[in-house]
Amino acid sequence: EILLGLPLAASVDDDQNGEAELADYKNKAKLIFKKMNENSEERCSIESGSYYFHYLIQNGVCYMTICDRSYPRQFAFSYLEELSKEFSMSYGNE
C-alpha cells in the first residue's frame, strides 16, 4: 500500500533569476514522486538535462536531492543517508 505524505523541501539556491528553472525542476520532482510505488528502487539516479535527481527510500520516507551532473553520485547518496539518519533520530516513527 502506498501512503502519500507531505513533501518537505529546502533549497540552497538563492539566485532569484533562476526561479523559473527551479520551478521546472520542482515539477519534475513531483512527477517522479507520482510515479513511485511499492516496486520503486530504494536508490535511484534520474538524469534531467544538466542535473541528476538522486533519491533514497528508507523506512517509508523518500529523500531526494538534485545535483549538477558533475557532482559525484557517491556524495549525493552519502548526503541522503545522513539526512535519513537525522530525520529518523528526530522523528522516529511519527
Side-chain angles (χ1 to χ4, degrees):
E1 177 178 329
I2 298 292
L3 298 177
L4 299 179
L6 176 66
L8 304 174
S11 174
V12 295
D13 184 1
D14 54 4
D15 176 14
Q16 298 298 325
N17 297 328
E19 285 188 35
E21 183 180 24
L22 184 60
D24 181 49
Y25 283 107
K26 285 181 182 179
N27 287 332
K28 289 178 182 178
K30 288 177 187 177
L31 288 174
I32 293 169
F33 283 125
K34 285 181 181 179
K35 291 180 180 181
M36 287 183 179
N37 61 43
E38 63 273 356
N39 297 317
S40 295
E41 294 181 52
E42 290 182 5
R43 291 176 170 252
C44 187
S45 297
I46 301 169
E47 183 179 355
S48 180
S50 59
Y51 295 95
Y52 273 97
F53 288 93
H54 302 285
Y55 74 77
L56 172 69
I57 300 173
Q58 288 191 335
N59 300 319
V61 178
C62 180
Y63 304 89
M64 181 181 286
T65 188
I66 183 171
C67 300
D68 189 88
R69 291 176 62 106
S70 64
Y71 193 75
R73 186 175 189 265
Q74 177 183 351
F75 292 167
F77 282 105
S78 291
Y79 165 73
L80 293 173
E81 288 169 358
E82 188 62 34
L83 187 62
S84 169
K85 288 176 191 173
E86 288 185 32
F87 187 84
S88 181
M89 286 176 37
S90 296
Y91 299 102
N93 291 326
E94 289 182 35

PDB file of all heavy atoms in Angstrom, residues 26-58:
ATOM      1  N   LYS A  26      11.248  21.489  -9.787  1.00  0.00           N
ATOM      2  CA  LYS A  26      10.306  21.074  -8.735  1.00  0.00           C
ATOM      3  C   LYS A  26       9.164  20.273  -9.351  1.00  0.00           C
ATOM      4  O   LYS A  26       8.728  19.265  -8.793  1.00  0.00           O
ATOM      5  CB  LYS A  26       9.753  22.296  -8.004  1.00  0.00           C
ATOM      6  CG  LYS A  26      10.720  22.933  -7.046  1.00  0.00           C
ATOM      7  CD  LYS A  26      10.083  24.125  -6.357  1.00  0.00           C
ATOM      8  CE  LYS A  26      11.035  24.808  -5.425  1.00  0.00           C
ATOM      9  NZ  LYS A  26      10.418  25.998  -4.778  1.00  0.00           N
ATOM     10  N   ASN A  27       8.687  20.707 -10.504  1.00  0.00           N
ATOM     11  CA  ASN A  27       7.622  19.967 -11.192  1.00  0.00           C
ATOM     12  C   ASN A  27       8.103  18.588 -11.631  1.00  0.00           C
ATOM     13  O   ASN A  27       7.363  17.607 -11.531  1.00  0.00           O
ATOM     14  CB  ASN A  27       7.095  20.760 -12.384  1.00  0.00           C
ATOM     15  CG  ASN A  27       6.250  21.944 -11.960  1.00  0.00           C
ATOM     16  OD1 ASN A  27       5.622  21.923 -10.903  1.00  0.00           O
ATOM     17  ND2 ASN A  27       6.239  22.985 -12.768  1.00  0.00           N
ATOM     18  N   LYS A  28       9.345  18.506 -12.098  1.00  0.00           N
ATOM     19  CA  LYS A  28       9.900  17.209 -12.479  1.00  0.00           C
ATOM     20  C   LYS A  28      10.007  16.290 -11.262  1.00  0.00           C
ATOM     21  O   LYS A  28       9.728  15.096 -11.355  1.00  0.00           O
ATOM     22  CB  LYS A  28      11.261  17.385 -13.144  1.00  0.00           C
ATOM     23  CG  LYS A  28      11.150  17.990 -14.530  1.00  0.00           C
ATOM     24  CD  LYS A  28      12.512  18.206 -15.158  1.00  0.00           C
ATOM     25  CE  LYS A  28      12.352  18.851 -16.531  1.00  0.00           C
ATOM     26  NZ  LYS A  28      13.629  19.122 -17.174  1.00  0.00           N
ATOM     27  N   ALA A  29      10.397  16.855 -10.125  1.00  0.00           N
ATOM     28  CA  ALA A  29      10.481  16.055  -8.896  1.00  0.00           C
ATOM     29  C   ALA A  29       9.103  15.528  -8.511  1.00  0.00           C
ATOM     30  O   ALA A  29       8.957  14.360  -8.124  1.00  0.00           O
ATOM     31  CB  ALA A  29      11.073  16.885  -7.760  1.00  0.00           C
ATOM     32  N   LYS A  30       8.070  16.365  -8.640  1.00  0.00           N
ATOM     33  CA  LYS A  30       6.707  15.926  -8.330  1.00  0.00           C
ATOM     34  C   LYS A  30       6.289  14.771  -9.237  1.00  0.00           C
ATOM     35  O   LYS A  30       5.639  13.824  -8.783  1.00  0.00           O
ATOM     36  CB  LYS A  30       5.726  17.088  -8.478  1.00  0.00           C
ATOM     37  CG  LYS A  30       5.843  18.118  -7.384  1.00  0.00           C
ATOM     38  CD  LYS A  30       4.893  19.276  -7.625  1.00  0.00           C
ATOM     39  CE  LYS A  30       5.119  20.389  -6.619  1.00  0.00           C
ATOM     40  NZ  LYS A  30       4.249  21.554  -6.897  1.00  0.00           N
ATOM     41  N   LEU A  31       6.665  14.839 -10.504  1.00  0.00           N
ATOM     42  CA  LEU A  31       6.336  13.744 -11.427  1.00  0.00           C
ATOM     43  C   LEU A  31       7.023  12.447 -11.023  1.00  0.00           C
ATOM     44  O   LEU A  31       6.430  11.363 -11.109  1.00  0.00           O
ATOM     45  CB  LEU A  31       6.735  14.113 -12.858  1.00  0.00           C
ATOM     46  CG  LEU A  31       5.878  15.174 -13.545  1.00  0.00           C
ATOM     47  CD1 LEU A  31       6.486  15.556 -14.898  1.00  0.00           C
ATOM     48  CD2 LEU A  31       4.454  14.685 -13.720  1.00  0.00           C
ATOM     49  N   ILE A  32       8.273  12.562 -10.576  1.00  0.00           N
ATOM     50  CA  ILE A  32       8.998  11.372 -10.110  1.00  0.00           C
ATOM     51  C   ILE A  32       8.276  10.761  -8.915  1.00  0.00           C
ATOM     52  O   ILE A  32       8.058   9.547  -8.856  1.00  0.00           O
ATOM     53  CB  ILE A  32      10.457  11.716  -9.762  1.00  0.00           C
ATOM     54  CG1 ILE A  32      11.227  12.091 -11.030  1.00  0.00           C
ATOM     55  CG2 ILE A  32      11.132  10.542  -9.040  1.00  0.00           C
ATOM     56  CD1 ILE A  32      12.600  12.696 -10.765  1.00  0.00           C
ATOM     57  N   PHE A  33       7.867  11.606  -7.956  1.00  0.00           N
ATOM     58  CA  PHE A  33       7.157  11.103  -6.780  1.00  0.00           C
ATOM     59  C   PHE A  33       5.846  10.424  -7.169  1.00  0.00           C
ATOM     60  O   PHE A  33       5.486   9.392  -6.618  1.00  0.00           O
ATOM     61  CB  PHE A  33       6.874  12.225  -5.779  1.00  0.00           C
ATOM     62  CG  PHE A  33       8.068  12.636  -4.976  1.00  0.00           C
ATOM     63  CD1 PHE A  33       8.481  13.965  -4.941  1.00  0.00           C
ATOM     64  CD2 PHE A  33       8.787  11.718  -4.231  1.00  0.00           C
ATOM     65  CE1 PHE A  33       9.585  14.349  -4.192  1.00  0.00           C
ATOM     66  CE2 PHE A  33       9.894  12.087  -3.477  1.00  0.00           C
ATOM     67  CZ  PHE A  33      10.285  13.416  -3.464  1.00  0.00           C
ATOM     68  N   LYS A  34       5.130  11.003  -8.129  1.00  0.00           N
ATOM     69  CA  LYS A  34       3.847  10.431  -8.544  1.00  0.00           C
ATOM     70  C   LYS A  34       4.011   9.052  -9.177  1.00  0.00           C
ATOM     71  O   LYS A  34       3.118   8.222  -9.100  1.00  0.00           O
ATOM     72  CB  LYS A  34       3.141  11.367  -9.527  1.00  0.00           C
ATOM     73  CG  LYS A  34       2.532  12.576  -8.870  1.00  0.00           C
ATOM     74  CD  LYS A  34       1.824  13.453  -9.889  1.00  0.00           C
ATOM     75  CE  LYS A  34       1.252  14.673  -9.194  1.00  0.00           C
ATOM     76  NZ  LYS A  34       0.574  15.566 -10.162  1.00  0.00           N
ATOM     77  N   LYS A  35       5.156   8.811  -9.805  1.00  0.00           N
ATOM     78  CA  LYS A  35       5.394   7.530 -10.465  1.00  0.00           C
ATOM     79  C   LYS A  35       5.898   6.456  -9.506  1.00  0.00           C
ATOM     80  O   LYS A  35       5.957   5.286  -9.857  1.00  0.00           O
ATOM     81  CB  LYS A  35       6.394   7.703 -11.609  1.00  0.00           C
ATOM     82  CG  LYS A  35       5.828   8.503 -12.763  1.00  0.00           C
ATOM     83  CD  LYS A  35       6.835   8.654 -13.869  1.00  0.00           C
ATOM     84  CE  LYS A  35       6.249   9.463 -15.018  1.00  0.00           C
ATOM     85  NZ  LYS A  35       7.195   9.618 -16.120  1.00  0.00           N
ATOM     86  N   MET A  36       6.267   6.843  -8.295  1.00  0.00           N
ATOM     87  CA  MET A  36       6.786   5.869  -7.330  1.00  0.00           C
ATOM     88  C   MET A  36       5.674   4.960  -6.825  1.00  0.00           C
ATOM     89  O   MET A  36       4.535   5.372  -6.684  1.00  0.00           O
ATOM     90  CB  MET A  36       7.421   6.588  -6.146  1.00  0.00           C
ATOM     91  CG  MET A  36       8.724   7.214  -6.455  1.00  0.00           C
ATOM     92  SD  MET A  36       9.409   7.968  -4.959  1.00  0.00           S
ATOM     93  CE  MET A  36      10.926   8.572  -5.611  1.00  0.00           C
ATOM     94  N   ASN A  37       6.064   3.716  -6.562  1.00  0.00           N
ATOM     95  CA  ASN A  37       5.143   2.761  -5.960  1.00  0.00           C
ATOM     96  C   ASN A  37       5.954   1.776  -5.115  1.00  0.00           C
ATOM     97  O   ASN A  37       7.156   1.950  -4.934  1.00  0.00           O
ATOM     98  CB  ASN A  37       4.308   2.057  -7.032  1.00  0.00           C
ATOM     99  CG  ASN A  37       5.166   1.280  -8.013  1.00  0.00           C
ATOM    100  OD1 ASN A  37       6.106   0.592  -7.634  1.00  0.00           O
ATOM    101  ND2 ASN A  37       4.845   1.397  -9.296  1.00  0.00           N
ATOM    102  N   GLU A  38       5.289   0.734  -4.635  1.00  0.00           N
ATOM    103  CA  GLU A  38       5.980  -0.212  -3.748  1.00  0.00           C
ATOM    104  C   GLU A  38       7.095  -0.973  -4.441  1.00  0.00           C
ATOM    105  O   GLU A  38       7.931  -1.581  -3.789  1.00  0.00           O
ATOM    106  CB  GLU A  38       4.974  -1.195  -3.113  1.00  0.00           C
ATOM    107  CG  GLU A  38       4.253  -2.070  -4.096  1.00  0.00           C
ATOM    108  CD  GLU A  38       2.986  -1.451  -4.679  1.00  0.00           C
ATOM    109  OE1 GLU A  38       2.606  -0.343  -4.271  1.00  0.00           O
ATOM    110  OE2 GLU A  38       2.382  -2.086  -5.559  1.00  0.00           O
ATOM    111  N   ASN A  39       7.135  -0.938  -5.776  1.00  0.00           N
ATOM    112  CA  ASN A  39       8.194  -1.624  -6.520  1.00  0.00           C
ATOM    113  C   ASN A  39       9.333  -0.699  -6.938  1.00  0.00           C
ATOM    114  O   ASN A  39      10.258  -1.135  -7.628  1.00  0.00           O
ATOM    115  CB  ASN A  39       7.604  -2.295  -7.767  1.00  0.00           C
ATOM    116  CG  ASN A  39       6.592  -3.359  -7.405  1.00  0.00           C
ATOM    117  OD1 ASN A  39       6.808  -4.137  -6.490  1.00  0.00           O
ATOM    118  ND2 ASN A  39       5.477  -3.372  -8.097  1.00  0.00           N
ATOM    119  N   SER A  40       9.281   0.554  -6.533  1.00  0.00           N
ATOM    120  CA  SER A  40      10.334   1.508  -6.899  1.00  0.00           C
ATOM    121  C   SER A  40      11.650   1.113  -6.242  1.00  0.00           C
ATOM    122  O   SER A  40      11.673   0.577  -5.126  1.00  0.00           O
ATOM    123  CB  SER A  40       9.950   2.920  -6.462  1.00  0.00           C
ATOM    124  OG  SER A  40       8.827   3.371  -7.167  1.00  0.00           O
ATOM    125  N   GLU A  41      12.723   1.378  -6.945  1.00  0.00           N
ATOM    126  CA  GLU A  41      14.048   1.094  -6.390  1.00  0.00           C
ATOM    127  C   GLU A  41      14.276   1.937  -5.140  1.00  0.00           C
ATOM    128  O   GLU A  41      13.792   3.057  -5.044  1.00  0.00           O
ATOM    129  CB  GLU A  41      15.133   1.443  -7.415  1.00  0.00           C
ATOM    130  CG  GLU A  41      15.103   0.579  -8.647  1.00  0.00           C
ATOM    131  CD  GLU A  41      16.205   0.959  -9.612  1.00  0.00           C
ATOM    132  OE1 GLU A  41      17.369   1.017  -9.185  1.00  0.00           O
ATOM    133  OE2 GLU A  41      15.887   1.202 -10.781  1.00  0.00           O
ATOM    134  N   GLU A  42      15.044   1.399  -4.195  1.00  0.00           N
ATOM    135  CA  GLU A  42      15.330   2.136  -2.967  1.00  0.00           C
ATOM    136  C   GLU A  42      16.336   3.254  -3.202  1.00  0.00           C
ATOM    137  O   GLU A  42      16.357   4.241  -2.463  1.00  0.00           O
ATOM    138  CB  GLU A  42      15.838   1.196  -1.879  1.00  0.00           C
ATOM    139  CG  GLU A  42      14.763   0.271  -1.359  1.00  0.00           C
ATOM    140  CD  GLU A  42      15.258  -0.625  -0.245  1.00  0.00           C
ATOM    141  OE1 GLU A  42      16.415  -0.474   0.202  1.00  0.00           O
ATOM    142  OE2 GLU A  42      14.479  -1.493   0.179  1.00  0.00           O
ATOM    143  N   ARG A  43      17.206   3.096  -4.194  1.00  0.00           N
ATOM    144  CA  ARG A  43      18.194   4.109  -4.575  1.00  0.00           C
ATOM    145  C   ARG A  43      18.111   4.276  -6.077  1.00  0.00           C
ATOM    146  O   ARG A  43      18.138   3.293  -6.808  1.00  0.00           O
ATOM    147  CB  ARG A  43      19.626   3.653  -4.298  1.00  0.00           C
ATOM    148  CG  ARG A  43      20.009   3.542  -2.916  1.00  0.00           C
ATOM    149  CD  ARG A  43      21.431   2.971  -2.878  1.00  0.00           C
ATOM    150  NE  ARG A  43      21.889   3.092  -1.527  1.00  0.00           N
ATOM    151  CZ  ARG A  43      22.801   3.948  -1.121  1.00  0.00           C
ATOM    152  NH1 ARG A  43      23.424   4.711  -1.979  1.00  0.00           N
ATOM    153  NH2 ARG A  43      23.135   4.038   0.134  1.00  0.00           N
ATOM    154  N   CYS A  44      18.043   5.521  -6.494  1.00  0.00           N
ATOM    155  CA  CYS A  44      17.943   5.722  -7.932  1.00  0.00           C
ATOM    156  C   CYS A  44      18.480   7.105  -8.298  1.00  0.00           C
ATOM    157  O   CYS A  44      18.374   8.047  -7.520  1.00  0.00           O
ATOM    158  CB  CYS A  44      16.490   5.601  -8.367  1.00  0.00           C
ATOM    159  SG  CYS A  44      16.260   5.620 -10.156  1.00  0.00           S
ATOM    160  N   SER A  45      19.061   7.189  -9.485  1.00  0.00           N
ATOM    161  CA  SER A  45      19.512   8.455 -10.053  1.00  0.00           C
ATOM    162  C   SER A  45      18.815   8.614 -11.394  1.00  0.00           C
ATOM    163  O   SER A  45      18.800   7.685 -12.201  1.00  0.00           O
ATOM    164  CB  SER A  45      21.024   8.462 -10.255  1.00  0.00           C
ATOM    165  OG  SER A  45      21.682   8.346  -9.015  1.00  0.00           O
ATOM    166  N   ILE A  46      18.228   9.788 -11.616  1.00  0.00           N
ATOM    167  CA  ILE A  46      17.488  10.049 -12.839  1.00  0.00           C
ATOM    168  C   ILE A  46      18.069  11.299 -13.491  1.00  0.00           C
ATOM    169  O   ILE A  46      18.101  12.373 -12.878  1.00  0.00           O
ATOM    170  CB  ILE A  46      15.988  10.249 -12.547  1.00  0.00           C
ATOM    171  CG1 ILE A  46      15.432   8.993 -11.878  1.00  0.00           C
ATOM    172  CG2 ILE A  46      15.232  10.597 -13.823  1.00  0.00           C
ATOM    173  CD1 ILE A  46      14.051   9.150 -11.311  1.00  0.00           C
ATOM    174  N   GLU A  47      18.509  11.147 -14.718  1.00  0.00           N
ATOM    175  CA  GLU A  47      19.104  12.260 -15.456  1.00  0.00           C
ATOM    176  C   GLU A  47      18.012  13.196 -15.958  1.00  0.00           C
ATOM    177  O   GLU A  47      16.974  12.764 -16.440  1.00  0.00           O
ATOM    178  CB  GLU A  47      19.900  11.720 -16.632  1.00  0.00           C
ATOM    179  CG  GLU A  47      20.611  12.787 -17.426  1.00  0.00           C
ATOM    180  CD  GLU A  47      21.411  12.211 -18.580  1.00  0.00           C
ATOM    181  OE1 GLU A  47      21.484  10.980 -18.711  1.00  0.00           O
ATOM    182  OE2 GLU A  47      21.946  13.013 -19.341  1.00  0.00           O
ATOM    183  N   SER A  48      18.259  14.491 -15.831  1.00  0.00           N
ATOM    184  CA  SER A  48      17.328  15.501 -16.335  1.00  0.00           C
ATOM    185  C   SER A  48      18.133  16.708 -16.782  1.00  0.00           C
ATOM    186  O   SER A  48      18.520  17.551 -15.967  1.00  0.00           O
ATOM    187  CB  SER A  48      16.322  15.895 -15.251  1.00  0.00           C
ATOM    188  OG  SER A  48      15.439  16.873 -15.750  1.00  0.00           O
ATOM    189  N   GLY A  49      18.416  16.776 -18.068  1.00  0.00           N
ATOM    190  CA  GLY A  49      19.198  17.895 -18.585  1.00  0.00           C
ATOM    191  C   GLY A  49      20.597  17.882 -18.010  1.00  0.00           C
ATOM    192  O   GLY A  49      21.280  16.869 -18.034  1.00  0.00           O
ATOM    193  N   SER A  50      21.007  19.001 -17.440  1.00  0.00           N
ATOM    194  CA  SER A  50      22.355  19.095 -16.882  1.00  0.00           C
ATOM    195  C   SER A  50      22.393  18.712 -15.403  1.00  0.00           C
ATOM    196  O   SER A  50      23.385  18.963 -14.720  1.00  0.00           O
ATOM    197  CB  SER A  50      22.914  20.504 -17.085  1.00  0.00           C
ATOM    198  OG  SER A  50      22.081  21.455 -16.470  1.00  0.00           O
ATOM    199  N   TYR A  51      21.310  18.111 -14.906  1.00  0.00           N
ATOM    200  CA  TYR A  51      21.225  17.728 -13.500  1.00  0.00           C
ATOM    201  C   TYR A  51      20.840  16.257 -13.353  1.00  0.00           C
ATOM    202  O   TYR A  51      20.381  15.617 -14.294  1.00  0.00           O
ATOM    203  CB  TYR A  51      20.175  18.578 -12.771  1.00  0.00           C
ATOM    204  CG  TYR A  51      20.538  20.031 -12.708  1.00  0.00           C
ATOM    205  CD1 TYR A  51      20.066  20.930 -13.655  1.00  0.00           C
ATOM    206  CD2 TYR A  51      21.369  20.503 -11.709  1.00  0.00           C
ATOM    207  CE1 TYR A  51      20.410  22.269 -13.603  1.00  0.00           C
ATOM    208  CE2 TYR A  51      21.718  21.838 -11.642  1.00  0.00           C
ATOM    209  CZ  TYR A  51      21.238  22.719 -12.595  1.00  0.00           C
ATOM    210  OH  TYR A  51      21.596  24.036 -12.539  1.00  0.00           O
ATOM    211  N   TYR A  52      21.018  15.762 -12.145  1.00  0.00           N
ATOM    212  CA  TYR A  52      20.535  14.432 -11.760  1.00  0.00           C
ATOM    213  C   TYR A  52      19.663  14.579 -10.530  1.00  0.00           C
ATOM    214  O   TYR A  52      19.992  15.327  -9.603  1.00  0.00           O
ATOM    215  CB  TYR A  52      21.694  13.499 -11.395  1.00  0.00           C
ATOM    216  CG  TYR A  52      22.293  12.769 -12.555  1.00  0.00           C
ATOM    217  CD1 TYR A  52      23.430  13.237 -13.171  1.00  0.00           C
ATOM    218  CD2 TYR A  52      21.727  11.585 -13.025  1.00  0.00           C
ATOM    219  CE1 TYR A  52      24.000  12.563 -14.235  1.00  0.00           C
ATOM    220  CE2 TYR A  52      22.284  10.901 -14.093  1.00  0.00           C
ATOM    221  CZ  TYR A  52      23.419  11.398 -14.686  1.00  0.00           C
ATOM    222  OH  TYR A  52      23.972  10.716 -15.734  1.00  0.00           O
ATOM    223  N   PHE A  53      18.545  13.869 -10.532  1.00  0.00           N
ATOM    224  CA  PHE A  53      17.757  13.679  -9.320  1.00  0.00           C
ATOM    225  C   PHE A  53      18.262  12.390  -8.706  1.00  0.00           C
ATOM    226  O   PHE A  53      18.328  11.365  -9.383  1.00  0.00           O
ATOM    227  CB  PHE A  53      16.266  13.517  -9.649  1.00  0.00           C
ATOM    228  CG  PHE A  53      15.594  14.772 -10.099  1.00  0.00           C
ATOM    229  CD1 PHE A  53      15.493  15.077 -11.444  1.00  0.00           C
ATOM    230  CD2 PHE A  53      15.043  15.650  -9.181  1.00  0.00           C
ATOM    231  CE1 PHE A  53      14.860  16.229 -11.870  1.00  0.00           C
ATOM    232  CE2 PHE A  53      14.412  16.806  -9.595  1.00  0.00           C
ATOM    233  CZ  PHE A  53      14.322  17.097 -10.950  1.00  0.00           C
ATOM    234  N   HIS A  54      18.629  12.431  -7.444  1.00  0.00           N
ATOM    235  CA  HIS A  54      19.018  11.226  -6.710  1.00  0.00           C
ATOM    236  C   HIS A  54      17.998  11.062  -5.590  1.00  0.00           C
ATOM    237  O   HIS A  54      17.679  12.037  -4.907  1.00  0.00           O
ATOM    238  CB  HIS A  54      20.411  11.374  -6.080  1.00  0.00           C
ATOM    239  CG  HIS A  54      21.494  11.677  -7.057  1.00  0.00           C
ATOM    240  ND1 HIS A  54      22.019  10.733  -7.911  1.00  0.00           N
ATOM    241  CD2 HIS A  54      22.170  12.822  -7.314  1.00  0.00           C
ATOM    242  CE1 HIS A  54      22.974  11.280  -8.649  1.00  0.00           C
ATOM    243  NE2 HIS A  54      23.078  12.546  -8.306  1.00  0.00           N
ATOM    244  N   TYR A  55      17.489   9.838  -5.421  1.00  0.00           N
ATOM    245  CA  TYR A  55      16.590   9.631  -4.295  1.00  0.00           C
ATOM    246  C   TYR A  55      16.932   8.351  -3.562  1.00  0.00           C
ATOM    247  O   TYR A  55      17.521   7.428  -4.114  1.00  0.00           O
ATOM    248  CB  TYR A  55      15.118   9.687  -4.704  1.00  0.00           C
ATOM    249  CG  TYR A  55      14.584   8.493  -5.462  1.00  0.00           C
ATOM    250  CD1 TYR A  55      14.273   7.301  -4.808  1.00  0.00           C
ATOM    251  CD2 TYR A  55      14.346   8.565  -6.830  1.00  0.00           C
ATOM    252  CE1 TYR A  55      13.759   6.226  -5.490  1.00  0.00           C
ATOM    253  CE2 TYR A  55      13.825   7.483  -7.525  1.00  0.00           C
ATOM    254  CZ  TYR A  55      13.541   6.310  -6.843  1.00  0.00           C
ATOM    255  OH  TYR A  55      13.035   5.233  -7.532  1.00  0.00           O
ATOM    256  N   LEU A  56      16.539   8.344  -2.301  1.00  0.00           N
ATOM    257  CA  LEU A  56      16.768   7.224  -1.394  1.00  0.00           C
ATOM    258  C   LEU A  56      15.476   7.016  -0.616  1.00  0.00           C
ATOM    259  O   LEU A  56      14.918   7.979  -0.076  1.00  0.00           O
ATOM    260  CB  LEU A  56      17.913   7.558  -0.440  1.00  0.00           C
ATOM    261  CG  LEU A  56      18.197   6.607   0.703  1.00  0.00           C
ATOM    262  CD1 LEU A  56      18.763   5.294   0.179  1.00  0.00           C
ATOM    263  CD2 LEU A  56      19.170   7.235   1.690  1.00  0.00           C
ATOM    264  N   ILE A  57      14.994   5.783  -0.577  1.00  0.00           N
ATOM    265  CA  ILE A  57      13.796   5.466   0.209  1.00  0.00           C
ATOM    266  C   ILE A  57      14.232   4.614   1.390  1.00  0.00           C
ATOM    267  O   ILE A  57      14.829   3.546   1.204  1.00  0.00           O
ATOM    268  CB  ILE A  57      12.754   4.703  -0.637  1.00  0.00           C
ATOM    269  CG1 ILE A  57      12.331   5.534  -1.840  1.00  0.00           C
ATOM    270  CG2 ILE A  57      11.557   4.327   0.229  1.00  0.00           C
ATOM    271  CD1 ILE A  57      11.429   4.794  -2.818  1.00  0.00           C
ATOM    272  N   GLN A  58      13.948   5.092   2.600  1.00  0.00           N
ATOM    273  CA  GLN A  58      14.265   4.341   3.819  1.00  0.00           C
ATOM    274  C   GLN A  58      13.144   4.525   4.826  1.00  0.00           C
ATOM    275  O   GLN A  58      12.690   5.653   5.059  1.00  0.00           O
ATOM    276  CB  GLN A  58      15.593   4.811   4.428  1.00  0.00           C
ATOM    277  CG  GLN A  58      16.789   4.371   3.628  1.00  0.00           C
ATOM    278  CD  GLN A  58      18.096   4.602   4.352  1.00  0.00           C
ATOM    279  OE1 GLN A  58      18.220   5.452   5.216  1.00  0.00           O
ATOM    280  NE2 GLN A  58      19.096   3.821   3.993  1.00  0.00           N
TER     281      GLN A  58
END
